Amino acid sequence: MTTPEILTRALWRAADAVCFDVDSTVCMDEAIDELAKFANKDKEVMDLTLRAMRGDAQQLPSLPPTSSYPWELISELHARGVAVYLVSGGFHAIIDPVAQKLEIPLKNVFANSIKFFFTGDYAGFEESEPTSHQEGKAEVCAYLKHRFGYRRLIMIGDGVTDLAACPPADAFIGFGGNQVREKVKQEAKWFVTSFHELLSELRRN
């Protein structure tokens, strides 16, 4: 075990706030792909999504369709008085119900809002939301630290936008339980493949 990993584990055990990515972290899939299949545009959207996840394109919004909730881990964090946030480039319309099932307050969800034309057709997403662009997760972490004075804020996720949120996050934990991004695996000081690893480390205290 390397010194950076030891330090990251220690920060995790002492966390006062945790920000979780949603797609391919809290939820199993990159749901924009599922949405694309429904619209028969899966190849075009998958190509764009892969480029975005590798850091080659602007962050795309997504809708988590199938979920594998880290129930026990988040319950443990709540019991310890640790603030839990969902920070995603996806849409509130789908992420908010996920937050409610995990008993995460909706005010702790940072995501995008869908816009529609008066005809009801999709008109894009609200570009003023921080998570609508590549540096948005870092902005959210900086805002939370400034607003609430968190000293040990941890970002957990599978993508390069999650990795880029540290700093200002005090530590980043790479998550490969659903998808393994090689850049994230290589650059994360601690990389896990299950929520059980995080829970076990937390319970060392």
Side-chain angles (χ1 to χ4, degrees):
M1 190 182 300
T2 64
T3 298
E5 180 177 331
I6 291 171
L7 293 174
T8 301
R9 286 171 177 261
L11 282 169
W12 166 244
R13 294 194 303 271
D16 53 5
V18 178
C19 294
F20 287 95
D21 172 47
V22 178
D23 285 7
S24 292
T25 301
V26 168
C27 295
M28 290 174 62
D29 300 318
E30 290 295 324
I32 194 169
D33 299 336
E34 301 301 319
L35 183 63
K37 289 176 187 177
F38 180 77
N40 295 317
K41 297 289 184 181
D42 50 307
K43 184 180 185 302
E44 294 94 325
V45 175
M46 183 170 289
D47 288 344
L48 288 171
T49 303
L50 287 173
R51 283 166 47 200
M53 291 306 299
R54 291 169 183 158
D56 300 330
Q58 187 176 19
Q59 172 72 17
L60 297 173
S62 53
L63 299 170
T66 51
S67 303
S68 176
Y69 303 122
W71 293 107
E72 194 173 0
L73 174 60
I74 290 178
S75 294
E76 181 84 15
L77 290 169
H78 284 156
R80 291 168 177 254
V82 178
V84 178
Y85 297 87
L86 297 182
V87 184
S88 173
F91 294 141
H92 275 289
I94 302 299
I95 294 175
D96 286 357
V98 172
Q100 290 175 322
K101 289 182 179 180
L102 292 170
E103 298 184 355
I104 296 172
L106 294 184
K107 64 183 178 62
N108 288 15
V109 178
F110 291 83
N112 294 314
S113 299
I114 303 173
K115 295 193 295 186
F116 296 94
F117 292 114
F118 70 92
T119 58
D121 293 333
Y122 173 68
F125 56 96
E126 182 53 65
E127 296 180 9
S128 65
E129 297 283 359
T131 55
S132 68
H133 56 83
Q134 195 80 5
E135 299 79 22
K137 292 180 181 181
E139 289 184 13
V140 170
C141 290
Y143 164 76
L144 292 173
K145 291 189 68 176
H146 176 76
R147 174 69 177 80
F148 299 106
Y150 297 128
R151 302 293 297 275
R152 295 170 300 278
L153 184 147
I154 314 298
M155 181 74 211
I156 299 174
D158 72 296
V160 292
T161 56
D162 308 308
L163 176 66
C166 179
D170 299 285
F172 168 71
I173 300 171
F175 186 81
N178 297 309
Q179 294 285 338
V180 176
R181 319 288 179 187
E182 283 305 317
K183 179 178 175 65
V184 175
K185 184 177 181 179
Q186 291 170 10
E187 296 189 20
K189 294 176 181 177
W190 183 26
F191 188 82
V192 302
T193 56
S194 73
F195 290 116
H196 177 72
E197 292 177 67
L198 294 170
L199 186 60
S200 294
E201 185 66 30
L202 195 63
R203 286 176 173 170
R204 286 182 57 194
N205 278 1

